[in-house]
């Protein structure tokens, strides 16, 4: 899982980039770039790792990712299976307030948008009630050209800046040290190994070997560069996958889900689940089902 500084190809005649992708799975490498990124997931499911945190994503989700925030949209394992016949679709807008657009963002009328972006450097998931409006602007921006595209970009900035309420950052560990290219590759390899083997017994020694480090050095290194201990990151990966399996209703029992996600003890699974999610597995599932019923009633 290679990683790091990723250069967005910028056409000479555009200061805002609109990119539509239709692929078997998302770009699978941890990376970062100087452009702010706004990604609307139109099709596909998986896990977004941004900075030191992870988030489920599915069709309809829309994320703003700050400049130079390391991230990867990791498609679910079934997207990588042979003959999967699956596809992801996403529309992304890239823009750099410190590049060619800098004079624009220095205008007093646009300064609030610049301040908004600076305040949300760690990114955020857009609230559902604004996704439809913002995604329609993104489509219009993608289809436009020349001055019309810039006009749609103004609409996009206005739509983002006008979002009210608290926006939870995608990454919560604000003091992560700068990551060199070699360190990024190493961290990417670690992430990839854990995400591929979370359902199996994984020891500290196993992961340290992937990083070509002693267990003691690995513990210090991983904590410094991710804000997580190895165990806390592994537990979050496992519980994140358990949540997906629970609400997919593809397994006959909570115990089966626990074992499929690498837990050998249902007692330990319940304890870790409560610690990470703040609710028991049964309580989480009941809450999800009740919300689903309420939404269906409201739609009716």
């Amino acid at each position: 899982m290679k990683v790091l500084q990723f250069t967005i190809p910028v056409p000479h005649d555009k200061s805002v980039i609109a990119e539509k992708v239709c692929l078997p799975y998302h770009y699978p490498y941890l990376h970062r770039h100087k452009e702010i990124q706004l990604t609307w997931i139109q099709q596909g499911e998986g896990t977004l790792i941004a900075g030191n945190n992870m988030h489920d994503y599915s069709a309809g989700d829309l994320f703003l990712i700050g400049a130079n925030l390391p991230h990867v949209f990791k498609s679910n394992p079934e997207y990588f299976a042979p003959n999967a016949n699956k596809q992801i679709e996403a529309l992304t807008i890239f823009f750099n307030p410190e590049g060619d657009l800098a004079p624009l963002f220095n205008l007093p009328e646009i300064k609030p948008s610049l301040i908004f972006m600076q305040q949300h450097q760690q990114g955020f998931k857009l609230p559902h009630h604004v996704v439809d409006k913002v995604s329609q602007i993104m489509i219009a921006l993608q289809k436009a050209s020349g001055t019309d595209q810039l006009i749609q970009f103004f609409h996009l900035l206005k739509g983002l800046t006008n979002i009210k309420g608290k926006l939870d950052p995608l990454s919560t560990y604000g003091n992560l040290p700068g990551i060199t290219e070699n360190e990024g590759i190493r961290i990417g390899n670690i992430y990839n190994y854990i995400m591929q083997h979370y359902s199996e017994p994984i020891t500290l020694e196993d992961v340290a070997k992937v990083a070509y480090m002693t267990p003691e050095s690995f513990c210090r290194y991983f904590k410094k560069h991710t804000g997580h201990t190895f165990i806390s990151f592994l537990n979050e990966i496992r519980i994140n996958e358990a949540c997906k399996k629970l609400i997919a209703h593809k397994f006959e029992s909570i115990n089966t889900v626990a074992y499929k996600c690498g837990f050998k003890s249902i007692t330990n699974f319940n304890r870790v689940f409560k610690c990470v999610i703040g609710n028991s597995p049964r309580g989480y599932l009941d809450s999800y089902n009740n919300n689903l019923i309420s939404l269906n009633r409201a739609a009716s």
Side-chain angles (χ1 to χ4, degrees), residues 34-106:
K34 60 187 178 182
E35 291 82 6
I36 293 171
Q37 172 176 339
L38 188 65
T39 294
W40 174 33
I41 305 295
Q42 297 169 299
Q43 184 176 328
E45 305 84 30
T47 300
L48 165 63
I49 295 181
N52 68 317
N53 287 1
M54 63 196 75
H55 312 268
D56 289 345
Y57 69 80
S58 58
D61 288 339
L62 212 168
F63 298 92
L64 184 137
I65 297 170
N68 285 312
L69 178 64
H71 62 279
V72 58
F73 285 93
K74 187 74 173 177
S75 297
N76 279 345
E78 58 265 28
Y79 284 79
F80 298 91
N83 304 315
N85 293 322
K86 284 186 168 290
Q87 180 171 287
I88 64 96
E89 291 186 23
L91 176 60
T92 298
I93 308 298
F94 299 99
F95 61 96
N96 181 8
E98 296 182 356
D100 290 342
L101 291 170
L104 174 68
F105 277 91
N106 282 327

Side-chain angles (χ1 to χ4, degrees), residues 4-294:
L4 246 35
Q5 198 67 31
F6 188 82
T7 302
I8 304 300
V10 180
H12 72 278
D13 59 341
K14 292 182 183 293
S15 52
V16 180
I17 310 302
E19 179 185 74
K20 173 69 182 280
V21 294
C22 300
L23 296 167
Y25 46 80
H26 278 287
Y27 179 77
Y29 303 126
L30 186 69
H31 63 287
R32 65 182 180 186
H33 39 71
K34 60 187 178 182
E35 291 82 6
I36 293 171
Q37 172 176 339
L38 188 65
T39 294
W40 174 33
I41 305 295
Q42 297 169 299
Q43 184 176 328
E45 305 84 30
T47 300
L48 165 63
I49 295 181
N52 68 317
N53 287 1
M54 63 196 75
H55 312 268
D56 289 345
Y57 69 80
S58 58
D61 288 339
L62 212 168
F63 298 92
L64 184 137
I65 297 170
N68 285 312
L69 178 64
H71 62 279
V72 58
F73 285 93
K74 187 74 173 177
S75 297
N76 279 345
E78 58 265 28
Y79 284 79
F80 298 91
N83 304 315
N85 293 322
K86 284 186 168 290
Q87 180 171 287
I88 64 96
E89 291 186 23
L91 176 60
T92 298
I93 308 298
F94 299 99
F95 61 96
N96 181 8
E98 296 182 356
D100 290 342
L101 291 170
L104 174 68
F105 277 91
N106 282 327
L107 294 173
E109 294 86 355
I110 309 296
K111 263 298 178 52
S113 294
L114 178 61
I115 293 171
F116 179 86
M117 298 303 165
Q118 292 170 341
Q119 289 174 337
H120 296 94
Q121 177 65 30
Q122 300 301 318
F124 58 88
K125 180 179 179 180
L126 275 70
H128 283 297
H129 69 274
V130 302
V131 167
D132 187 55
K133 180 179 179 180
V134 173
S135 61
Q136 292 308 307
I137 298 173
M138 292 173 68
I139 291 172
L141 190 154
Q142 179 203 10
K143 293 180 178 178
S145 60
T147 306
D148 289 336
Q149 188 173 69
L150 207 52
I151 290 171
Q152 293 300 331
F153 181 62
F154 282 127
H155 289 312
L156 183 63
L157 289 180
K158 182 179 178 181
L160 292 172
T161 309
N162 286 345
I163 296 174
K164 305 300 180 186
K166 186 175 182 293
L167 297 170
D168 295 325
L170 296 179
S171 177
T172 55
Y173 192 56
N175 294 319
L176 288 173
I179 303 175
T180 67
E181 188 162 348
N182 286 337
E183 287 168 343
I185 293 171
R186 178 181 280 178
I187 293 168
N189 285 333
I190 294 166
Y191 280 177
N192 198 40
Y193 181 85
I194 294 173
M195 293 181 78
Q196 286 182 346
H197 299 278
Y198 71 88
S199 61
E200 308 163 13
I202 303 179
T203 66
L204 175 62
E205 288 74 17
D206 292 334
V207 187
K209 285 180 183 176
V210 173
Y212 300 101
M213 303 175 83
T214 65
E216 295 77 14
S217 297
F218 172 80
C219 286
R220 291 192 297 270
Y221 178 87
F222 194 70
K223 176 69 173 178
K224 176 182 176 182
H225 288 91
T226 70
H228 283 281
T229 65
F230 160 64
I231 292 299
S232 71
F233 184 79
L234 175 60
N235 281 339
E236 285 204 24
I237 288 285
R238 285 174 166 170
I239 296 302
N240 188 60
E241 295 299 324
C243 288
K244 293 179 189 177
K245 287 177 168 53
L246 285 171
I247 63 177
H249 299 289
K250 292 182 178 178
F251 295 91
E252 62 272 17
S253 70
I254 291 176
N255 286 22
T256 304
V257 170
Y259 294 128
K260 288 287 184 180
C261 292
F263 291 93
K264 301 309 175 189
S265 159
I266 190 64
T267 302
N268 187 41
F269 173 66
N270 287 334
R271 180 185 62 80
V272 175
F273 196 102
K274 182 73 178 290
C275 181
V276 173
I277 301 298
N279 201 350
S280 67
R282 173 55 61 190
Y284 172 83
L285 189 54
D286 289 344
S287 176
Y288 174 83
N289 289 334
N290 289 336
N291 287 338
L292 207 58
I293 292 169
S294 298

